[in-house]
């Protein structure tokens, strides 16, 4: 063999080796998996919507930066431009130019002490407009006014039936007075009958719970988070609605602590996904003008990102790599798992937040058992073909930096597709059992297979 032929043979062999390894890209390299195995492909065309609250500075470059972070939507307000002015319309034009969808607000929140009025302007002449935000966290005593806004909006936008009418609901029932203030269940039932039932098309259950707190100088997770979120998730499921949560990305210099790492954000998102969210929004995108800390970008200097911008950009990119898979499944429920480390220290250990979950699953349909070293949430999902999946979340305070190892005993499986940090890995499942490691703030979407 000549040197040229020998070199060609070596190059060909290397190319074949690379191709063979490529077939295993994203796969666990344990024995028993095969490059010839076929795994389900999910192409639902559905994606999570990711919003930002608090508009960027009013320049095209600042809106491009928001899009580059991976946002799909921006909540619009009049912080930098009065409503129905050319400067305000510029914001909508910027959204269109960079590919962001706009959620138009009316600067109305809680009990509307400022007396803000709803605009009569038809904003759908701007292509970026996707939703009309009628009210933020309305009090029970304002439900009638919110319902009137629904009627008014339906008249304004009657020639644009695709526009979505949206109300961000409140998690804090204690703040309300009147007949709807007894609890979250009562609040939701009342606003469904007076407001949401009047909305045609997409029915969005949206609320904001900011769970990362500090108490006595110690970081903690608010115990009310899972209780409230479970009620919202159940109502969204029962009424064929979408579920949207705001993600804490601010501090109030009091009990709501600052976001200090990517894990602080992923902990919230993965936990919310265990309850079946269809979308989430960062509160805030631009640092608030209300004295809050945080945000993804500065509030007084154009195109100036903070650390949270880069964390969020990485997270959004990871989700975009596989959210079509997640969105092909419907949420069935969630079941908490107490960590073995805690139970070994105290056999009577319990997690107060877990106890607050309303109507948790009594069992998983795809698994006989799930154990974990740390407290863990395991939400269960089902696709159109009857296949099940699990969304796991390491439910420990992120700054504690506790590692979690989850052991799943499936009912029948020899493989598992595991989506974690934007990457798919194929695990070999031996005797129906697989172990998955989760760092602080991490989660994993697990689809058991029998191939």
């Amino acid at each position: 063999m000549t040197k040229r032929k020998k070199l060609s043979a070596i190059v060909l062999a290397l190319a074949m080796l690379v191709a063979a390894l490529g077939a295993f890209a994203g796969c666990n390299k344990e024995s028993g998996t095969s490059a010839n195995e076929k795994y389900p492909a999910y192409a639902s065309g559905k994606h999570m919507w990711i919003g930002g609250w608090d508009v960027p500075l009013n320049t095209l470059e600042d809106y491009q930066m928001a899009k580059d972070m991976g946002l799909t939507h921006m909540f619009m307000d009049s912080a930098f431009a009065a409503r129905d002015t050319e400067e305000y319309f510029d914001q909508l034009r910027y959204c269109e130019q960079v590919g962001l969808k706009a959620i138009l607000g009316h600067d109305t929140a809680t009990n509307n002490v400022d007396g803000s009025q709803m605009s009569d302007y038809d904003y759908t002449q701007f292509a970026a407009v996707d939703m009309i935000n009628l009210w933020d966290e309305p009090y029970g005593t304002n439900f009638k006014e919110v319902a009137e806004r629904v009627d008014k909006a339906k008249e304004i936008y009657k020639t644009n039936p695709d526009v979505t009418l949206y109300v961000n609901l409140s998690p804090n029932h204690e703040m309300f007075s009147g007949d709807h203030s007894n609890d979250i269940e009562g609040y939701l039932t009342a606003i469904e009958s007076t407001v949401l039932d009047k909305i045609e098309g997409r029915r969005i259950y949206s609320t904001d719970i900011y769970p990362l707190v500090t108490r006595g100088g110690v970081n903690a997770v608010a115990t009310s988070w899972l209780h409230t979120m479970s009620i919202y998730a159940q109502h969204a499921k029962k009424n064929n609605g979408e579920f949207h949560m705001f993600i804490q990305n601010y501090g109030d210099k009091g009990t709501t602590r600052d976001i200090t790492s990517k894990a602080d954000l992923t902990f919230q998102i993965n936990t919310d996904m265990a309850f079946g969210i269809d979308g989430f929004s960062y509160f805030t995108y631009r640092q608030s003008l209300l004295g809050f800390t945080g945000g993804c970008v500065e509030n007084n200097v154009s195109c100036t990102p903070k650390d949270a911008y880069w964390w969020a950009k990485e997270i959004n990119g990871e989700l975009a790599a596989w959210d079509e898979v997640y969105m092909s499944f419907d949420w069935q429920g969630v079941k908490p798992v107490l960590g073995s480390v805690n139970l070994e220290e105290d056999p009577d250990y319990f997690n107060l937040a877990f106890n607050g979950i309303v109507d948790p699953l009594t069992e998983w349909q795809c698994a006989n058992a799930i154990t974990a070293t740390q407290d863990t949430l395991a939400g269960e999902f089902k696709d159109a073909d009857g296949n099940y999946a699990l969304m796991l979340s390491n439910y420990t305070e992120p700054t504690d930096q506790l590692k979690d190892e989850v052991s799943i005993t499936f009912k029948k499986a020899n493989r598992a597709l595991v989506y974690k940090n934007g990457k798919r890995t194929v695990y070999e499942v031996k005797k129906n059992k697989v172990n998955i490691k989760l760092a602080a703030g991490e989660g994993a979407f697990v689809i058991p297979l029998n191939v």
Side-chain angles (χ1 to χ4, degrees):
M1 183 181 289
T2 66
K3 288 184 178 180
R4 178 173 294 179
K5 288 183 178 180
K6 183 180 289 186
L7 179 61
S8 297
I10 293 172
V11 170
L12 178 61
L14 287 172
M16 292 175 66
L17 177 61
V18 170
L21 290 173
F24 281 90
C27 294
N28 183 291
K29 293 182 175 58
E30 296 178 24
S31 61
T33 60
S34 168
N36 297 321
E37 292 177 355
K38 295 185 181 299
Y39 309 120
Y42 292 95
S44 65
K46 299 178 182 178
H47 298 276
M48 296 185 76
W49 56 284
I50 304 176
W53 185 282
D54 279 342
V55 294
L57 297 180
N58 201 4
T59 72
L60 178 61
E61 292 75 17
D62 283 281
Y63 276 83
Q64 184 64 62
M65 176 170 277
K67 177 63 177 178
D68 291 344
M69 195 183 84
L71 298 185
T72 62
H73 289 71
M74 181 62 71
F75 283 83
M76 310 303 295
D77 58 39
S78 56
F80 298 125
R83 279 184 293 163
D84 305 346
T85 64
E86 279 303 312
E87 290 79 10
Y88 191 89
F89 298 152
D90 280 343
Q91 296 179 131
L92 303 180
R93 297 183 184 107
Y94 295 152
C95 283
E96 182 179 355
Q97 289 179 61
V98 304
L100 279 172
K101 294 181 180 180
I103 304 175
L104 268 295
H106 289 86
D107 301 318
T108 308
T110 59
N111 62 348
N112 195 21
V113 292
D114 296 329
S116 181
Q117 299 298 308
M118 179 178 172
S119 172
D120 294 328
Y121 196 90
D122 181 358
Y123 291 102
T124 56
Q125 59 188 285
F126 295 95
V129 175
D130 184 46
M131 305 184 206
I132 306 298
N133 181 10
L134 299 173
W135 206 294
D136 181 38
E137 297 185 1
Y139 281 23
T141 50
N142 295 107
F143 287 174
K144 182 179 178 181
E145 294 174 79
V146 183
E148 290 171 353
R149 288 196 176 189
V150 172
D151 291 334
K152 184 176 181 179
K154 288 164 72 172
E155 181 63 25
I156 294 171
Y157 300 105
K158 62 184 177 183
T159 60
N160 298 282
D162 292 336
V163 69
T164 296
L165 302 183
Y166 166 94
V167 181
N168 184 50
L169 310 177
S170 177
N172 301 313
H173 64 86
E174 297 89 348
M175 295 173 60
F176 302 94
S177 59
D179 297 333
H180 317 314
S181 62
N182 55 334
D183 54 24
I184 290 296
E185 181 69 41
Y187 175 86
L188 276 179
T189 300
I191 202 165
E192 283 170 341
S193 62
T194 56
V195 176
L196 298 186
D197 286 349
K198 298 171 73 70
I199 295 177
E200 300 169 0
R202 294 168 65 188
R203 185 184 180 111
I204 300 175
Y205 287 81
S206 173
T207 194
D208 44 285
I209 307 169
Y210 305 123
L212 300 180
V213 298
T214 181
R215 293 169 178 162
V218 178
N219 289 346
V221 181
T223 55
S224 60
W225 181 25
L226 303 188
H227 170 75
T228 302
M229 189 157 52
S230 66
I231 297 174
Y232 270 86
Q234 295 289 355
H235 275 256
K237 176 185 175 185
K238 181 175 65 175
N239 293 286
N240 195 31
E242 298 177 39
F243 186 25
H244 168 268
M245 288 288 295
F246 281 91
I247 301 300
Q248 176 184 336
N249 187 38
Y250 82 104
D252 63 5
K253 303 176 183 177
T255 58
T256 302
R257 72 168 177 84
D258 288 332
I259 299 302
T260 60
S261 69
K262 176 186 174 183
D264 283 345
L265 297 174
T266 56
F267 168 64
Q268 296 177 72
I269 295 166
N270 287 322
T271 297
D272 291 354
M273 289 176 72
F275 285 83
I277 59 166
D278 299 281
F280 64 90
S281 296
Y282 294 95
F283 184 91
T284 60
Y285 170 70
R286 184 247 310 140
Q287 183 177 346
S288 173
L289 300 174
L290 300 178
F292 296 150
T293 58
C296 296
V297 297
E298 295 288 354
N299 60 14
N300 58 358
V301 183
S302 180
C303 294
T304 305
K306 298 186 168 193
D307 287 343
Y309 178 92
W310 304 111
W311 300 330
K313 183 175 183 177
E314 185 175 356
I315 293 166
N316 299 341
E318 291 171 353
L319 282 171
W322 72 279
D323 68 339
E324 201 168 10
V325 177
Y326 171 82
M327 294 296 290
S328 297
F329 287 78
D330 293 324
W331 183 72
Q332 304 299 299
V334 66
K335 190 174 188 290
V337 178
L338 294 176
S340 60
V341 170
N342 298 315
L343 290 170
E344 288 169 4
E345 292 181 358
D346 180 4
D348 297 322
Y349 171 80
F350 65 92
N351 186 315
L352 188 60
F354 286 178
N355 290 353
I357 297 174
V358 175
D359 294 330
L361 295 174
T362 57
E363 61 180 357
W364 299 280
Q365 295 303 307
C366 67
N368 287 324
I370 300 177
T371 60
T373 55
Q374 302 293 340
D375 288 357
T376 303
L377 288 167
E380 189 165 54
F381 295 73
K382 186 178 181 181
D383 72 8
D385 297 322
N387 301 309
Y388 286 91
L390 296 166
M391 181 67 206
L392 307 175
S393 177
N394 176 351
Y395 193 79
T396 58
E397 212 291 332
T399 58
D400 289 340
Q401 299 183 342
L402 297 176
K403 296 179 180 179
D404 187 17
E405 184 164 352
V406 184
S407 178
I408 307 171
T409 304
F410 294 114
K411 291 188 175 179
K412 187 177 182 181
N414 61 7
R415 300 288 184 274
L417 299 184
V418 179
Y419 296 84
K420 188 174 77 166
N421 299 330
K423 298 179 181 178
R424 189 194 78 171
T425 304
V426 181
Y427 281 63
E428 182 183 15
V429 179
K430 297 180 179 180
K431 296 182 179 180
N432 294 316
K433 190 172 182 178
V434 68
N435 294 329
I436 298 171
K437 294 181 179 180
L438 301 174
E442 281 190 343
F445 193 71
V446 184
I447 305 174
L449 300 173
N450 201 41
V451 297

